[in-house]
Amino acid sequence: MARRIAYIGDPVITLADVARQCRVEPDDLQPELIEQIIIPGVTAQAEQRTGAAIRAAEYEEDWAEGRASGAALDVGQAGEVVSVHRVLADGSTELLSAPLYLQRGQRESFLHFPQGRPAGVLRVRYKAGFDPDAYPGVRSWLLMNAATAFEFRETLVVGTILAELPSGFTDSLLAEITVPPRF
């Protein structure tokens, strides 16, 4: 399972975007609530539901020795491999310079080693994040969920249950980038 190292890009939606979606002036919103809770919250929700990176970030995952060249990276929307290290027996790593390329699909990205996969456990570091111009429905999903969270902020903050819109409609906006389940 990949772990996020750090976000490297700006949030996909902004305070002004949420204000426009809520049909209010940005000055009438609570900026701290929107920027520190609602936007990160709906972004995390979308990432959890899709298995894809929404906000651009750097990820790292370990590949067991049996994982073959051409396997999919754990996080969808990967666009650049930063580095590949071999994990040594003592836990230290060595940087590899083996030729590789990333085959980016709509939902998944596949890491290929054209001259053969290097032996051992590999630690792969990569950048991922979705393209809002290519998948505008994802941005719509974020805005609709941010507006819902803002509208019902008292309910959400105290932790009671909020009835969702029919997920068949809203989640279809995420379908284009949802990573298929793996076993």
Side-chain angles (χ1 to χ4, degrees):
M1 180 50 101
R3 58 195 163 279
R4 184 176 39 248
I5 302 303
Y7 282 119
I8 54 175
D10 294 327
V12 176
I13 58 175
T14 65
L15 175 67
D17 295 332
V18 175
R20 200 169 23 260
Q21 182 73 21
C22 293
R23 296 172 191 85
V24 298
E25 292 297 319
D27 296 340
D28 295 335
L29 294 175
Q30 299 167 310
E32 299 82 21
L33 175 68
I34 302 297
E35 294 173 336
Q36 295 174 16
I37 296 173
I38 292 178
I39 291 174
V42 298
T43 300
Q45 217 178 11
E47 289 177 339
Q48 183 272 326
R49 286 184 183 202
T50 63
I54 302 299
R55 183 176 174 186
E58 197 165 294
Y59 293 87
E60 187 175 81
E61 64 184 73
D62 290 341
W63 280 29
E65 192 158 0
R67 196 164 180 184
S69 174
L73 294 169
D74 288 345
V75 176
Q77 303 300 302
E80 176 187 347
V81 175
V82 175
S83 65
V84 177
H85 287 81
R86 182 184 348 260
V87 179
L88 304 174
D90 66 357
S92 63
T93 62
E94 68 175 330
L95 180 63
L96 300 178
S97 59
L100 58 86
Y101 71 92
L102 192 63
Q103 175 190 0
R104 188 170 183 174
Q106 178 175 332
R107 293 180 172 92
E108 298 177 284
S109 298
F110 304 90
L111 180 56
H112 296 272
F113 296 94
Q115 296 178 353
R117 183 201 184 280
V121 175
L122 302 180
R123 182 159 293 150
V124 181
R125 188 175 280 226
Y126 55 95
K127 294 178 182 178
F130 96 105
D131 179 356
D133 294 328
Y135 305 108
V138 175
R139 194 167 186 285
S140 296
W141 188 95
L142 292 168
L143 289 169
M144 289 184 340
N145 281 277
T148 300
F150 178 74
E151 181 68 28
F152 298 100
R153 61 196 171 276
E154 290 84 9
T155 305
L156 293 174
V157 171
V158 297
T160 61
I161 296 172
L162 174 65
E164 293 185 61
L165 290 172
S167 63
F169 169 74
T170 58
D171 288 353
S172 68
L173 297 170
L174 299 175
E176 291 184 309
I177 64 166
T178 299
V179 174
R182 295 186 196 110
F183 296 99

